Amino acid sequence: MNAALPSPHIPADSALWLARSGLRPLNLGGRTLLPLVQGGMGIGVSAHGLAGSVAALGGVGTLSSVDLRRHYPDLMDATGHLEAGDAAKMAINAANLEALKREIRAARERSQGRGLLAINVMRAVSEYAHSVTTALEAGIDAVVVGAGLPLDLPDLAQDHPKAALIPILSDARGVQLIVKKWERKKRLPDAIVIEHPRLAGGHLGAARIADLNDPRFDFENVIPQSLAFLRSAGIEQEIPLIAAGGIRTHADIARLQSLGAAGVQLGTPFAVTSEGDAHPEFKRILAEAKEDEMVEFTSVAGLPARAVATPWLRAYLKIEHKLQAVVHHKNRCTKSFDCLAQCGLRDGLPGWGQFCIDNQLAAALRGDVRKGLFFRGVGALPFGAQIRSVRDLVERLLTRQEALMPA
């Protein structure tokens, strides 16, 4: 444990686990934290209950900005049944921004000033810029952006120099591009998430499904290559790398820190905790899923994605070729508010997904096994099919394997 501990951002029990773990803390945003980042998961899966609980233990808790109104009956009553049109779009977007502000306040209350609170905003969503600026004005500690290159993030955050800016990338070329582009704007990333597209869940950082197994994405390649670039630029100490995808154990974290990662990001293990903001059936589906039930497909955002092969997804994949044969531009979004800047279904883009992602992810959030799209990363979870607390998960991840063995 380094000399910076004890940290006011890590409670005593978490600090003790870290001290015994042999792992290095994560220094981010001027804070000393647990080397654990909870990934952002959209349509309300990672809302204030989960993010605030992770931060309260001294980690990075991450809200997802996507369609948070679904956690607020008053906002859904006001927007859930509007007729399509510009007025509906404006009302829904305003409701989601209001929900975002409420979620940041609630997560802050739950975290009690510990850890660090982040917002994950997909670059591909239509309200990307407004979500970033609203979160910053509401006092979020960090902004994490994936599903596209956030070349303009320093511009959006120029009035918030203390907020940490964190892009999600998958290879060393992306790291070099972002750093060089941002340097011209007099800003550097405060950290970079290196997400492995063969291991992560949800939208993946590869151009095509066929690219998922490209060795350039392997942690053993991308982390040392990225560190070599940062070292050559004289900024290695300024930009910690956070590995994401398929991380499940203390041994995984130790291995990645040995490669040079400062910390790790996990999505699915946190999604299934008791504090996770989704329905219990959502958690059960993810926790009980087997490796042979994982499916890769192309999302309506034009990106490869990984999810559990539930009834809706199996049915969709059976008829996808028929849907692709009749792709055409639609006059309007089926949900009125154009959640994506580019949508395969609405815009009639060949090869892109042909379904409403908001419909399917919202169904998963409420535990509808028949209709839902259940994003999940690969690998057995730390507690198998059990639903345990965030506290239990953090302790397990920070505990050396030998300590778990019977005496």
Short mmCIF file of all heavy atoms in Angstrom, two decimals, residues 186-231:
data_model
loop_
_atom_site.label_atom_id
_atom_site.label_comp_id
_atom_site.label_asym_id
_atom_site.label_seq_id
_atom_site.Cartn_x
_atom_site.Cartn_y
_atom_site.Cartn_z
N LYS A 186 -5.35 21.67 -25.19
CA LYS A 186 -4.76 21.97 -23.87
C LYS A 186 -5.38 21.14 -22.76
O LYS A 186 -5.55 21.59 -21.63
CB LYS A 186 -4.91 23.47 -23.53
CG LYS A 186 -4.47 24.41 -24.62
CD LYS A 186 -2.99 24.28 -24.94
CE LYS A 186 -2.56 25.30 -26.01
NZ LYS A 186 -1.16 25.11 -26.44
N ARG A 187 -5.72 19.90 -23.08
CA ARG A 187 -6.31 19.02 -22.07
C ARG A 187 -5.83 17.59 -22.32
O ARG A 187 -5.75 17.17 -23.47
CB ARG A 187 -7.84 19.08 -22.16
CG ARG A 187 -8.59 18.39 -21.01
CD ARG A 187 -8.88 19.34 -19.90
NE ARG A 187 -9.50 18.67 -18.77
CZ ARG A 187 -10.69 19.00 -18.26
NH1 ARG A 187 -11.40 19.96 -18.80
NH2 ARG A 187 -11.15 18.38 -17.19
N LEU A 188 -5.54 16.88 -21.27
CA LEU A 188 -5.19 15.46 -21.38
C LEU A 188 -6.27 14.62 -20.71
O LEU A 188 -6.93 15.10 -19.77
CB LEU A 188 -3.85 15.18 -20.69
CG LEU A 188 -2.59 15.71 -21.36
CD1 LEU A 188 -1.38 15.49 -20.45
CD2 LEU A 188 -2.37 15.06 -22.72
N PRO A 189 -6.46 13.38 -21.14
CA PRO A 189 -7.35 12.50 -20.40
C PRO A 189 -6.85 12.33 -18.97
O PRO A 189 -5.64 12.25 -18.73
CB PRO A 189 -7.26 11.18 -21.17
CG PRO A 189 -6.78 11.55 -22.54
CD PRO A 189 -5.88 12.73 -22.33
N ASP A 190 -7.78 12.29 -18.02
CA ASP A 190 -7.39 12.05 -16.63
C ASP A 190 -7.19 10.57 -16.36
O ASP A 190 -6.55 10.19 -15.37
CB ASP A 190 -8.45 12.63 -15.70
CG ASP A 190 -8.50 14.14 -15.80
OD1 ASP A 190 -7.71 14.80 -15.10
OD2 ASP A 190 -9.30 14.66 -16.61
N ALA A 191 -7.71 9.75 -17.24
CA ALA A 191 -7.49 8.30 -17.24
C ALA A 191 -8.03 7.81 -18.57
O ALA A 191 -8.76 8.53 -19.27
CB ALA A 191 -8.20 7.61 -16.08
N ILE A 192 -7.67 6.59 -18.94
CA ILE A 192 -8.21 5.97 -20.15
C ILE A 192 -8.64 4.55 -19.80
O ILE A 192 -7.86 3.78 -19.22
CB ILE A 192 -7.18 5.93 -21.29
CG1 ILE A 192 -6.81 7.36 -21.72
CG2 ILE A 192 -7.72 5.14 -22.49
CD1 ILE A 192 -5.69 7.42 -22.74
N VAL A 193 -9.88 4.21 -20.13
CA VAL A 193 -10.36 2.85 -19.97
C VAL A 193 -9.98 2.07 -21.23
O VAL A 193 -10.33 2.47 -22.35
CB VAL A 193 -11.87 2.80 -19.75
CG1 VAL A 193 -12.37 1.34 -19.75
CG2 VAL A 193 -12.26 3.48 -18.44
N ILE A 194 -9.25 0.97 -21.05
CA ILE A 194 -8.89 0.07 -22.14
C ILE A 194 -9.84 -1.12 -22.08
O ILE A 194 -9.70 -2.00 -21.24
CB ILE A 194 -7.43 -0.41 -22.02
CG1 ILE A 194 -6.47 0.78 -21.96
CG2 ILE A 194 -7.08 -1.35 -23.16
CD1 ILE A 194 -6.38 1.59 -23.22
N GLU A 195 -10.83 -1.14 -22.98
CA GLU A 195 -11.86 -2.17 -22.94
C GLU A 195 -11.61 -3.23 -24.01
O GLU A 195 -11.50 -2.90 -25.20
CB GLU A 195 -13.23 -1.54 -23.13
CG GLU A 195 -14.38 -2.52 -22.96
CD GLU A 195 -15.72 -1.83 -23.05
OE1 GLU A 195 -16.17 -1.57 -24.19
OE2 GLU A 195 -16.32 -1.54 -22.00
N HIS A 196 -11.54 -4.48 -23.60
CA HIS A 196 -11.29 -5.58 -24.53
C HIS A 196 -12.60 -6.02 -25.17
O HIS A 196 -13.49 -6.54 -24.49
CB HIS A 196 -10.66 -6.76 -23.79
CG HIS A 196 -9.98 -7.74 -24.69
ND1 HIS A 196 -10.56 -8.21 -25.85
CD2 HIS A 196 -8.77 -8.35 -24.61
CE1 HIS A 196 -9.74 -9.05 -26.44
NE2 HIS A 196 -8.65 -9.15 -25.72
N PRO A 197 -12.76 -5.84 -26.49
CA PRO A 197 -14.04 -6.16 -27.13
C PRO A 197 -14.39 -7.64 -27.16
O PRO A 197 -15.56 -8.00 -27.34
CB PRO A 197 -13.88 -5.60 -28.55
CG PRO A 197 -12.42 -5.49 -28.78
CD PRO A 197 -11.82 -5.21 -27.43
N ARG A 198 -13.41 -8.52 -26.96
CA ARG A 198 -13.71 -9.95 -26.93
C ARG A 198 -14.28 -10.38 -25.58
O ARG A 198 -14.85 -11.47 -25.45
CB ARG A 198 -12.45 -10.76 -27.24
CG ARG A 198 -12.68 -12.27 -27.29
CD ARG A 198 -11.46 -13.02 -27.81
NE ARG A 198 -10.25 -12.70 -27.08
CZ ARG A 198 -9.89 -13.24 -25.92
NH1 ARG A 198 -10.69 -14.11 -25.31
NH2 ARG A 198 -8.75 -12.91 -25.35
N LEU A 199 -14.15 -9.53 -24.56
CA LEU A 199 -14.51 -9.92 -23.20
C LEU A 199 -15.64 -9.09 -22.60
O LEU A 199 -16.32 -9.55 -21.68
CB LEU A 199 -13.28 -9.81 -22.29
CG LEU A 199 -12.05 -10.63 -22.71
CD1 LEU A 199 -10.86 -10.28 -21.84
CD2 LEU A 199 -12.36 -12.11 -22.66
N ALA A 200 -15.83 -7.88 -23.06
CA ALA A 200 -16.79 -6.96 -22.45
C ALA A 200 -18.22 -7.29 -22.86
O ALA A 200 -18.48 -8.11 -23.74
CB ALA A 200 -16.45 -5.52 -22.83
N GLY A 201 -19.17 -6.63 -22.22
CA GLY A 201 -20.57 -6.75 -22.57
C GLY A 201 -21.08 -5.47 -23.20
O GLY A 201 -20.40 -4.45 -23.20
N GLY A 202 -22.29 -5.51 -23.75
CA GLY A 202 -22.86 -4.32 -24.36
C GLY A 202 -22.18 -3.98 -25.67
O GLY A 202 -21.72 -4.85 -26.41
N HIS A 203 -22.10 -2.68 -25.97
CA HIS A 203 -21.45 -2.24 -27.20
C HIS A 203 -19.94 -2.40 -27.08
O HIS A 203 -19.35 -2.09 -26.05
CB HIS A 203 -21.82 -0.79 -27.49
CG HIS A 203 -23.25 -0.62 -27.89
ND1 HIS A 203 -24.22 -0.15 -27.03
CD2 HIS A 203 -23.89 -0.91 -29.05
CE1 HIS A 203 -25.39 -0.13 -27.65
NE2 HIS A 203 -25.23 -0.58 -28.87
N LEU A 204 -19.32 -2.86 -28.15
CA LEU A 204 -17.93 -3.26 -28.12
C LEU A 204 -17.08 -2.38 -29.04
O LEU A 204 -17.54 -1.91 -30.07
CB LEU A 204 -17.81 -4.73 -28.55
CG LEU A 204 -18.72 -5.70 -27.78
CD1 LEU A 204 -18.70 -7.08 -28.43
CD2 LEU A 204 -18.31 -5.77 -26.31
N GLY A 205 -15.82 -2.21 -28.64
CA GLY A 205 -14.93 -1.28 -29.33
C GLY A 205 -14.20 -1.87 -30.52
O GLY A 205 -12.97 -1.77 -30.61
N ALA A 206 -14.93 -2.49 -31.41
CA ALA A 206 -14.36 -3.00 -32.66
C ALA A 206 -15.29 -2.60 -33.79
O ALA A 206 -16.49 -2.39 -33.60
CB ALA A 206 -14.21 -4.52 -32.60
N ALA A 207 -14.72 -2.50 -34.99
CA ALA A 207 -15.53 -2.07 -36.12
C ALA A 207 -16.51 -3.14 -36.57
O ALA A 207 -17.62 -2.84 -37.02
CB ALA A 207 -14.63 -1.65 -37.28
N ARG A 208 -16.09 -4.40 -36.48
CA ARG A 208 -16.91 -5.51 -36.96
C ARG A 208 -16.81 -6.69 -36.00
O ARG A 208 -15.83 -6.81 -35.26
CB ARG A 208 -16.44 -5.97 -38.35
CG ARG A 208 -16.40 -4.90 -39.42
CD ARG A 208 -15.72 -5.44 -40.67
NE ARG A 208 -14.38 -5.93 -40.37
CZ ARG A 208 -13.72 -6.83 -41.09
NH1 ARG A 208 -14.30 -7.37 -42.15
NH2 ARG A 208 -12.50 -7.21 -40.75
N ILE A 209 -17.79 -7.56 -36.03
CA ILE A 209 -17.76 -8.76 -35.20
C ILE A 209 -16.52 -9.59 -35.52
O ILE A 209 -15.89 -10.16 -34.62
CB ILE A 209 -19.05 -9.58 -35.40
CG1 ILE A 209 -20.26 -8.81 -34.83
CG2 ILE A 209 -18.94 -10.94 -34.72
CD1 ILE A 209 -21.59 -9.48 -35.11
N ALA A 210 -16.14 -9.62 -36.79
CA ALA A 210 -14.97 -10.41 -37.20
C ALA A 210 -13.68 -9.91 -36.57
O ALA A 210 -12.68 -10.64 -36.53
CB ALA A 210 -14.84 -10.39 -38.73
N ASP A 211 -13.69 -8.67 -36.08
CA ASP A 211 -12.47 -8.09 -35.48
C ASP A 211 -12.32 -8.37 -33.99
O ASP A 211 -11.30 -8.02 -33.40
CB ASP A 211 -12.46 -6.56 -35.69
CG ASP A 211 -12.40 -6.16 -37.15
OD1 ASP A 211 -11.85 -6.95 -37.95
OD2 ASP A 211 -12.91 -5.07 -37.48
N LEU A 212 -13.31 -8.98 -33.37
CA LEU A 212 -13.29 -9.11 -31.92
C LEU A 212 -12.09 -9.89 -31.40
O LEU A 212 -11.62 -9.65 -30.29
CB LEU A 212 -14.59 -9.77 -31.43
CG LEU A 212 -15.88 -8.96 -31.66
CD1 LEU A 212 -17.09 -9.74 -31.16
CD2 LEU A 212 -15.81 -7.60 -30.99
N ASN A 213 -11.59 -10.82 -32.18
CA ASN A 213 -10.46 -11.65 -31.75
C ASN A 213 -9.11 -11.12 -32.22
O ASN A 213 -8.10 -11.82 -32.08
CB ASN A 213 -10.65 -13.09 -32.23
CG ASN A 213 -11.80 -13.78 -31.52
OD1 ASN A 213 -11.91 -13.73 -30.30
ND2 ASN A 213 -12.67 -14.41 -32.28
N ASP A 214 -9.07 -9.92 -32.75
CA ASP A 214 -7.81 -9.34 -33.22
C ASP A 214 -6.85 -9.21 -32.03
O ASP A 214 -7.21 -8.61 -31.00
CB ASP A 214 -8.08 -7.97 -33.84
CG ASP A 214 -6.88 -7.41 -34.58
OD1 ASP A 214 -5.75 -7.51 -34.05
OD2 ASP A 214 -7.06 -6.85 -35.67
N PRO A 215 -5.62 -9.73 -32.13
CA PRO A 215 -4.69 -9.67 -30.99
C PRO A 215 -4.28 -8.25 -30.60
O PRO A 215 -3.76 -8.07 -29.50
CB PRO A 215 -3.48 -10.48 -31.48
CG PRO A 215 -3.62 -10.54 -32.96
CD PRO A 215 -5.08 -10.51 -33.25
N ARG A 216 -4.55 -7.27 -31.44
CA ARG A 216 -4.19 -5.90 -31.04
C ARG A 216 -5.00 -5.43 -29.84
O ARG A 216 -4.63 -4.47 -29.17
CB ARG A 216 -4.35 -4.94 -32.21
CG ARG A 216 -5.76 -4.43 -32.49
CD ARG A 216 -5.75 -3.38 -33.60
NE ARG A 216 -7.00 -2.70 -33.78
CZ ARG A 216 -7.99 -3.13 -34.56
NH1 ARG A 216 -7.85 -4.28 -35.23
NH2 ARG A 216 -9.11 -2.44 -34.68
N PHE A 217 -6.13 -6.13 -29.57
CA PHE A 217 -6.95 -5.76 -28.42
C PHE A 217 -6.53 -6.47 -27.14
O PHE A 217 -7.05 -6.13 -26.07
CB PHE A 217 -8.43 -6.10 -28.70
CG PHE A 217 -9.03 -5.35 -29.86
CD1 PHE A 217 -9.69 -6.04 -30.87
CD2 PHE A 217 -8.94 -3.97 -29.94
CE1 PHE A 217 -10.26 -5.36 -31.94
CE2 PHE A 217 -9.51 -3.28 -31.01
CZ PHE A 217 -10.17 -3.97 -32.01
N ASP A 218 -5.67 -7.46 -27.22
CA ASP A 218 -5.28 -8.20 -26.02
C ASP A 218 -4.59 -7.27 -25.03
O ASP A 218 -3.73 -6.46 -25.41
CB ASP A 218 -4.35 -9.35 -26.38
CG ASP A 218 -5.06 -10.47 -27.13
OD1 ASP A 218 -6.31 -10.49 -27.11
OD2 ASP A 218 -4.36 -11.32 -27.72
N PHE A 219 -4.95 -7.41 -23.76
CA PHE A 219 -4.35 -6.56 -22.74
C PHE A 219 -2.82 -6.64 -22.76
O PHE A 219 -2.14 -5.64 -22.53
CB PHE A 219 -4.86 -6.95 -21.35
CG PHE A 219 -6.31 -6.65 -21.12
CD1 PHE A 219 -7.15 -7.61 -20.56
CD2 PHE A 219 -6.84 -5.40 -21.42
CE1 PHE A 219 -8.49 -7.33 -20.33
CE2 PHE A 219 -8.17 -5.11 -21.18
CZ PHE A 219 -9.01 -6.09 -20.64
N GLU A 220 -2.30 -7.84 -23.04
CA GLU A 220 -0.84 -8.03 -23.05
C GLU A 220 -0.17 -7.20 -24.15
O GLU A 220 1.03 -6.95 -24.08
CB GLU A 220 -0.52 -9.51 -23.27
CG GLU A 220 -0.86 -10.39 -22.07
CD GLU A 220 -2.33 -10.73 -21.96
OE1 GLU A 220 -3.11 -10.35 -22.89
OE2 GLU A 220 -2.72 -11.35 -20.96
N ASN A 221 -0.95 -6.77 -25.14
CA ASN A 221 -0.42 -5.92 -26.21
C ASN A 221 -0.76 -4.45 -25.99
O ASN A 221 0.11 -3.58 -26.01
CB ASN A 221 -0.95 -6.37 -27.57
CG ASN A 221 -0.42 -7.73 -27.97
OD1 ASN A 221 0.73 -8.06 -27.69
ND2 ASN A 221 -1.24 -8.53 -28.63
N VAL A 222 -2.04 -4.16 -25.78
CA VAL A 222 -2.47 -2.77 -25.78
C VAL A 222 -1.99 -1.99 -24.55
O VAL A 222 -1.63 -0.81 -24.66
CB VAL A 222 -4.01 -2.67 -25.92
CG1 VAL A 222 -4.73 -3.28 -24.74
CG2 VAL A 222 -4.44 -1.24 -26.12
N ILE A 223 -1.90 -2.63 -23.39
CA ILE A 223 -1.46 -1.88 -22.21
C ILE A 223 0.02 -1.49 -22.33
O ILE A 223 0.35 -0.30 -22.19
CB ILE A 223 -1.76 -2.66 -20.92
CG1 ILE A 223 -3.28 -2.74 -20.69
CG2 ILE A 223 -1.09 -1.99 -19.71
CD1 ILE A 223 -3.69 -3.59 -19.51
N PRO A 224 0.94 -2.43 -22.60
CA PRO A 224 2.34 -2.02 -22.76
C PRO A 224 2.56 -1.04 -23.92
O PRO A 224 3.35 -0.10 -23.81
CB PRO A 224 3.07 -3.34 -23.01
CG PRO A 224 2.22 -4.38 -22.38
CD PRO A 224 0.82 -3.90 -22.61
N GLN A 225 1.85 -1.24 -25.03
CA GLN A 225 2.00 -0.33 -26.16
C GLN A 225 1.51 1.08 -25.81
O GLN A 225 2.16 2.08 -26.18
CB GLN A 225 1.21 -0.86 -27.37
CG GLN A 225 1.81 -2.11 -27.99
CD GLN A 225 0.87 -2.77 -28.99
OE1 GLN A 225 -0.21 -2.24 -29.29
NE2 GLN A 225 1.25 -3.94 -29.49
N SER A 226 0.41 1.15 -25.12
CA SER A 226 -0.12 2.47 -24.71
C SER A 226 0.82 3.14 -23.72
O SER A 226 1.08 4.35 -23.81
CB SER A 226 -1.52 2.32 -24.11
OG SER A 226 -2.42 1.78 -25.05
N LEU A 227 1.35 2.37 -22.76
CA LEU A 227 2.28 2.94 -21.79
C LEU A 227 3.56 3.41 -22.47
O LEU A 227 4.12 4.45 -22.10
CB LEU A 227 2.60 1.90 -20.72
CG LEU A 227 1.48 1.60 -19.71
CD1 LEU A 227 1.88 0.44 -18.81
CD2 LEU A 227 1.16 2.84 -18.88
N ALA A 228 4.03 2.67 -23.48
CA ALA A 228 5.23 3.09 -24.19
C ALA A 228 5.00 4.42 -24.89
O ALA A 228 5.88 5.31 -24.88
CB ALA A 228 5.63 2.02 -25.20
N PHE A 229 3.82 4.59 -25.48
CA PHE A 229 3.51 5.88 -26.12
C PHE A 229 3.45 7.00 -25.09
O PHE A 229 4.02 8.08 -25.29
CB PHE A 229 2.18 5.79 -26.86
CG PHE A 229 1.59 7.14 -27.18
CD1 PHE A 229 2.18 7.96 -28.13
CD2 PHE A 229 0.48 7.61 -26.49
CE1 PHE A 229 1.66 9.22 -28.42
CE2 PHE A 229 -0.05 8.85 -26.76
CZ PHE A 229 0.54 9.67 -27.72
N LEU A 230 2.75 6.75 -23.98
CA LEU A 230 2.64 7.79 -22.94
C LEU A 230 4.02 8.14 -22.37
O LEU A 230 4.31 9.30 -22.09
CB LEU A 230 1.70 7.31 -21.83
CG LEU A 230 0.24 7.07 -22.23
CD1 LEU A 230 -0.54 6.50 -21.06
CD2 LEU A 230 -0.41 8.34 -22.75
N ARG A 231 4.86 7.12 -22.22
CA ARG A 231 6.21 7.35 -21.70
C ARG A 231 7.01 8.21 -22.68
O ARG A 231 7.71 9.14 -22.28
CB ARG A 231 6.89 6.01 -21.46
CG ARG A 231 8.20 6.10 -20.67
CD ARG A 231 8.79 4.71 -20.45
NE ARG A 231 7.82 3.82 -19.79
CZ ARG A 231 7.30 2.73 -20.35
NH1 ARG A 231 7.65 2.37 -21.59
NH2 ARG A 231 6.45 1.99 -19.68
#
